[in-house]
């Protein structure tokens, strides 16, 4: 029979690749206002199995309230304190095995958050963690409100890579995501039957305006025809949505051994326009879709493992 140590060996842990960390007496997770000598991270987070991240702090609070109801954590339902209350950089909420964290907009913001989140999960000795980005995006050739589960995150040249400058040199990292997890999420959408979901490539850009071929930024040096040709090329290469964090998210999760997925709703069809003209109610309804899908997945996983 497997001993507890054997079982731990069979679990997948969260890896950091940094020999300098061992020399730190206290690891301060500055942007979370948490640290290894000020907080018992293992007691606080050791049971985390699912991490959901999204841009807006408010959306991530709504998500924890929603998933708490779905998982019937009735006693905790009314109040969820922000674990990062001492800072306004990011917000973090927890219920049972689910952690919900905001990441702000763009690669630099999510990258800082992920460095500290990965260290947090590592220090807390979490095992078998699944992480999902639930977000918004611009769609290509899809009815607004369609959810895209990312097959592969590509850059603005439609290549599946994330480039980071380290010590002045460009380092290229892979943006592979877990294909089985993407398929499981697609199946969850079929189970629910509430909205359309597709699997496709996601283009990750450095900017919302010129970086996404919009014509409505403060600056624009190209024509409508140039824009449409670029978006048509993106579509032909398999891109179905455009957002601003998936590449570094995929790259960092892969490096740390986290099972990861990107689930974004499309707010508009970029072939048809640039401005977000839908009502607040419609946009709010769309933004709930990744949450509903991911909550269904978490419930299904917990039921399957007999933990719910
Ligand atoms: C989607 O929406 C935000 C821009 O409005 C950005 O964070 C993203 O990836
Ligand atoms: N988020 C983006 O990054 N682009 C869009 O068009 C909509 C949301």
């Amino acid at each position: 029979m497997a001993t507890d140590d054997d079982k731990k060996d069979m679990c997948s842990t969260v890896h950091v690749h940094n020999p300098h960390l061992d020399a730190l007496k206290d690891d301060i997770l500055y942007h979370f206002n948490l640290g290894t000598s000020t907080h018992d991270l293992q007691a606080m987070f050791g049971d985390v199995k699912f991490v959901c991240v999204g841009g807006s702090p408010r959306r991530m609070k709504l998500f924890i309230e929603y998933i708490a109801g779905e998982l019937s954590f009735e006693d905790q339902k009314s109040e969820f304190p922000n674990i990062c209350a001492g800072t306004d950089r990011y917000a973090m909420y927890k219920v049972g095995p689910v952690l919900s964290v905001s990441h702000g907009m763009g690669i630099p913001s999510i990258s800082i958050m992920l460095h500290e989140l990965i260290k947090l999960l590592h220090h807390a000795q979490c095992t078998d963690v699944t992480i999902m980005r639930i977000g918004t995006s611009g769609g290509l050739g899809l009815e607004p409100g369609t959810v895209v589960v990312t097959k592969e995150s590509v850059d603005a040249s439609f290549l599946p890579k994330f480039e980071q400058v380290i010590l002045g040199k460009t380092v290229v990292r892979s943006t592979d995501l877990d294909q089985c997890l993407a398929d499981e999420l697609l199946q969850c959408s079929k189970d629910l039957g509430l909205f359309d979901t597709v699997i496709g490539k996601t283009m990750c850009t450095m900017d919302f305006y010129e970086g996404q071929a919009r014509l409505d930024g403060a600056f624009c040096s190209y024509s409508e025809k140039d824009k449409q040709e670029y978006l048509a090329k993106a579509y032909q290469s398999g891109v179905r949505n455009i957002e601003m964090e998936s590449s570094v998210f995929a790259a960092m999760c892969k490096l740390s051994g986290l099972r990861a997925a990107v689930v974004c709703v499309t707010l508009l069809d970029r072939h048809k326009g640039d401005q977000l003209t839908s009502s607040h109610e419609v946009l709010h309804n769309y933004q709930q879709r990744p949450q509903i899908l991911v909550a269904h997945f978490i419930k299904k996983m917990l039921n399957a493992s007999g933990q719910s």
Side-chain angles (χ1 to χ4, degrees), residues 165-193:
V165 178
I166 302 175
L167 304 183
K169 295 198 179 76
T170 300
V171 173
V172 181
R173 287 178 172 159
S174 145
T175 54
D176 284 349
L177 287 158
D178 190 306
Q179 299 304 309
C180 294
L181 178 56
D183 290 339
E184 283 171 40
L185 286 161
L186 184 68
Q187 184 55 47
C188 284
S189 178
K190 289 182 186 154
D191 298 346
L192 285 166

Side-chain angles (χ1 to χ4, degrees), residues 255-303:
L255 282 176
S256 61
L258 285 165
R259 190 178 186 229
V262 178
V263 182
C264 289
V265 70
T266 60
L267 301 181
L268 75 172
D269 183 347
R270 289 299 319 291
H271 293 305
K272 297 188 178 154
D274 297 331
Q275 298 235 313
L276 288 145
T277 52
S278 301
S279 69
H280 177 80
E281 284 70 33
V282 168
L283 292 177
H284 181 71
N285 173 291
Y286 289 170
Q287 287 179 30
Q288 285 177 320
R289 294 180 177 185
Q291 301 195 9
I292 293 168
L293 181 50
V294 158
H296 182 79
F297 168 79
I298 292 174
K299 237 176 14 178
K300 199 168 161 179
M301 291 298 114
L302 290 175
N303 281 335

Side-chain angles (χ1 to χ4, degrees), residues 136-139 208 212 214 242-244 267-268 270 276:
T136 58
S137 61
F208 183 81
Q212 294 187 8
R214 277 187 156 79
I242 310 173
E243 48 77 92
M244 298 176 59
L267 301 181
L268 75 172
R270 289 299 319 291
L276 288 145

Side-chain angles (χ1 to χ4, degrees), residues 47-200:
D47 62 341
V48 168
K49 295 293 174 201
F50 301 95
V51 182
C52 297
V53 304
S56 128
R58 194 169 143 268
R59 212 184 324 128
M60 298 325 287
K61 184 167 200 299
L62 289 174
F63 175 71
I64 212 74
E65 288 166 359
Y66 173 65
I67 189 105
E70 288 295 297
L71 300 181
S72 306
F73 279 90
E74 303 294 343
D75 52 329
Q76 299 185 41
K77 216 168 171 177
S78 53
E79 206 29 54
F80 296 97
N82 177 4
I83 298 166
C84 299
T87 168
D88 59 5
R89 295 296 187 187
Y90 303 109
M92 183 186 288
Y93 304 93
K94 182 177 180 300
V95 65
V98 183
L99 194 65
S100 174
V101 193
S102 72
H103 58 60
M105 284 192 288
I107 288 172
S109 183
I110 194 174
S111 158
I112 295 166
M113 190 285 282
L114 286 173
H115 272 285
E116 295 183 16
L117 177 67
I118 289 163
K119 291 198 295 173
L120 182 153
L121 298 172
H122 174 78
H123 291 313
Q125 297 184 31
C126 294
T127 55
D128 298 327
V129 177
T130 299
I131 182 165
M132 291 165 282
R133 163 163 147 71
I134 46 176
T136 58
S137 61
L140 289 182
L142 298 172
E143 201 52 43
T146 305
V147 172
V148 179
V149 178
T150 304
K151 176 164 70 182
E152 187 173 54
S153 175
V154 299
D155 65 13
S157 310
F158 323 131
L159 297 172
K161 60 186 169 66
F162 170 64
E163 291 188 349
Q164 162 122 35
V165 178
I166 302 175
L167 304 183
K169 295 198 179 76
T170 300
V171 173
V172 181
R173 287 178 172 159
S174 145
T175 54
D176 284 349
L177 287 158
D178 190 306
Q179 299 304 309
C180 294
L181 178 56
D183 290 339
E184 283 171 40
L185 286 161
L186 184 68
Q187 184 55 47
C188 284
S189 178
K190 289 182 186 154
D191 298 346
L192 285 166
L194 295 174
F195 44 79
D196 290 334
T197 301
V198 299
I199 291 192

